[in-house]
């Protein structure tokens, strides 16, 4: 039996977007998508340009493209960022001065503000999972024990 690890990509993303210490990932104004400031994300979370001596890597990559690939594999869709949507209500920490850009907007129907219970519905699109979805079958995963409801 495969025991899901609590360190799945969607779970890490959930913890990041809800952390007051992380400034490169934030909810959009409706809490239905997330903004990722690529430049800041690379510095803050991928350690690009920093000497991460002894620091544990959050992601096993320094390549932002690999993060986007993971988002795509987990069913996130990239939305077009309009100048208005990137500033109106989308910076809950009230600071508009830290955008290094480019700004990316991603959406997944099961990634919602205040709804960690929906994370179980986010599955990596493996060949087997794609076949199940195409056949109309449900594909789910388990929340880590400390987030069970």
């Amino acid at each position: 039996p495969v025991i899901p690890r609590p360190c799945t990509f969607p779970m890490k993303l959930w913890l990041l977007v809800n952390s007051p210490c992380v400034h490169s990932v934030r909810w959009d104004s409706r809490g239905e998508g997330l903004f990722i400031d690529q430049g800041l994300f690379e510095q803050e979370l991928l350690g690009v340009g920093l000497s991460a001596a002894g620091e544990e890597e959050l992601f096993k990559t320094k390549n932002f493209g690999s993060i986007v690939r993971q988002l795509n594999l987990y069913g996130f869709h990239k939305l077009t960022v309009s100048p208005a949507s990137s500033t109106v209500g989308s910076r809950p920490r009230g600071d508009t001065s830290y955008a290094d850009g480019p700004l990316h907007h991603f959406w997944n129907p099961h990634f919602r503000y205040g709804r960690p219970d929906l994370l179980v519905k986010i599955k990596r699109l493996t060949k087997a999972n794609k076949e199940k979805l195409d056949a109309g079958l449900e594909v789910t995963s388990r929340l880590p024990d400390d987030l069970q409801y």
Side-chain angles (χ1 to χ4, degrees), residues 29-61:
S29 57
R30 294 195 312 234
E32 296 178 353
L34 65 153
F35 284 111
I36 300 175
D37 181 323
Q38 182 177 339
L40 195 56
F41 188 93
E42 288 173 341
Q43 291 170 20
E44 193 175 46
L45 300 169
L46 300 182
V48 175
L50 303 173
S51 59
E55 240 182 82
E56 191 180 333
E57 286 183 7
L58 186 61
F59 300 104
K60 295 180 176 76
T61 182

Side-chain angles (χ1 to χ4, degrees), residues 6-138:
C7 58
T8 63
F9 182 81
M11 189 69 223
K12 283 182 187 176
L13 203 56
W14 174 263
L15 294 171
L16 290 173
V17 75
N18 288 296
S19 168
C21 303
V22 175
H23 300 292
S24 58
V25 184
R26 59 192 174 275
W27 291 107
D28 65 14
S29 57
R30 294 195 312 234
E32 296 178 353
L34 65 153
F35 284 111
I36 300 175
D37 181 323
Q38 182 177 339
L40 195 56
F41 188 93
E42 288 173 341
Q43 291 170 20
E44 193 175 46
L45 300 169
L46 300 182
V48 175
L50 303 173
S51 59
E55 240 182 82
E56 191 180 333
E57 286 183 7
L58 186 61
F59 300 104
K60 295 180 176 76
T61 182
K62 289 191 182 302
N63 183 345
F64 186 76
S66 297
I67 300 299
V68 172
R69 184 171 180 272
Q70 286 294 311
L71 284 161
N72 292 332
L73 280 171
Y74 280 98
F76 283 81
H77 301 279
K78 190 166 184 183
L79 304 174
T80 307
V81 176
S82 69
S85 73
S86 67
T87 55
V88 179
S90 64
R91 297 172 193 267
R93 297 179 185 96
D95 183 1
T96 57
S97 64
Y98 55 77
D100 291 336
L103 197 62
H104 302 277
H105 192 189
F106 288 95
W107 175 85
N108 182 304
H110 306 298
F111 199 85
R112 293 281 181 266
Y113 180 79
R115 295 292 309 273
D117 56 302
L118 293 177
L119 291 174
V120 294
K121 295 177 180 272
I122 301 177
K123 281 295 280 182
R124 196 163 194 264
L125 293 178
T126 60
K127 189 173 185 239
N129 286 345
K130 187 168 174 3
E131 287 169 0
K132 282 184 189 173
L133 290 170
D134 289 346
L137 301 171
E138 189 176 351

